[in-house]
Amino acid sequence: MDIVIYHNPECGTSRNVLELIRHMGIEPHVVEYLKTPPRRALVAQLVARMGVSVRDILREKGTPYAELGLDDPSLSDDALLDAIEAHPILMNRPIVVSPAGVKLCRPSETVLDLLPTEGLKPFTKEDGEVVVDSDGRRVR
């Protein structure tokens, strides 16, 4: 299965998603998007494939969101894409691309919506939260 994860190794959610993908026996293509930012057109394509707005993938915490005035509802998608292009940290993470779709995987267990679920093995996140129980059932 071909999976791409737009990943930030400093982010616990992103690390959990990456580990959960690997736990399923899949080695994804990992794009550390702060080192190799996706081009503006690709970000727009990812947003379109997710069926969300550009605003829906903006990250506020730990970014220049407030200083750039990105909370202004009159800003166009083009203006927001320009901001993401100039400051890739503004793109929330992790975004996962799979044959089943594209999703901003927050919380981390939502990545299971994009992966085959047969043969799930128990999985616990870094913080101790159980995602898949000992019977292979997804905990919601």
Side-chain angles (χ1 to χ4, degrees), residues 4-19 21-22 28-36 38 91-96 126:
V4 177
I5 178 173
Y6 292 89
H7 176 62
N8 179 347
E10 299 300 316
C11 171
T13 300
S14 197
R15 289 192 305 269
N16 280 316
V17 168
L18 178 58
E19 185 57 32
I21 295 167
R22 288 178 170 157
H29 177 72
V30 178
V31 178
E32 288 191 34
Y33 73 94
L34 296 178
K35 291 181 181 177
T36 311
M91 187 173 88
N92 213 343
R93 74 280 182 158
I95 293 176
V96 176
E126 289 180 358

Side-chain angles (χ1 to χ4, degrees), residues 5-66:
I5 178 173
Y6 292 89
H7 176 62
N8 179 347
E10 299 300 316
C11 171
T13 300
S14 197
R15 289 192 305 269
N16 280 316
V17 168
L18 178 58
E19 185 57 32
L20 192 48
I21 295 167
R22 288 178 170 157
H23 183 74
M24 297 296 298
I26 300 165
E27 184 55 41
H29 177 72
V30 178
V31 178
E32 288 191 34
Y33 73 94
L34 296 178
K35 291 181 181 177
T36 311
R39 292 182 175 241
R40 184 181 193 283
L42 178 56
V43 174
Q45 182 183 67
L46 291 170
V47 166
R49 289 182 64 195
M50 285 188 275
V52 300
S53 72
V54 176
R55 189 166 295 285
D56 291 331
I57 68 158
L58 284 178
R59 181 168 179 84
E60 294 180 41
K61 183 179 174 186
T63 74
Y65 179 91

Side-chain angles (χ1 to χ4, degrees), residues 67-101:
E67 299 97 75
L68 296 172
L70 299 179
D71 58 345
D72 178 350
S74 71
L75 290 174
S76 68
D77 281 355
D78 282 335
L80 299 176
L81 287 167
D82 289 344
I84 291 171
E85 185 173 47
H87 307 277
I89 192 71
L90 287 165
M91 187 173 88
N92 213 343
R93 74 280 182 158
I95 293 176
V96 176
V97 180
S98 88

Side-chain angles (χ1 to χ4, degrees), residues 89-138:
I89 192 71
L90 287 165
M91 187 173 88
N92 213 343
R93 74 280 182 158
I95 293 176
V96 176
V97 180
S98 88
V102 181
K103 185 175 253 200
L104 172 60
C105 293
R106 296 188 78 82
S108 55
E109 55 272 18
T110 61
V111 73
L112 292 172
D113 297 337
L114 300 175
L115 303 174
T117 56
E118 60 275 350
L120 278 178
K121 296 179 221 140
F123 183 83
T124 303
K125 295 195 282 189
E126 289 180 358
D127 65 2
E129 182 182 348
V130 175
V131 174
V132 179
D133 69 16
S134 61
D135 294 323
R137 290 185 302 242
R138 185 174 173 179

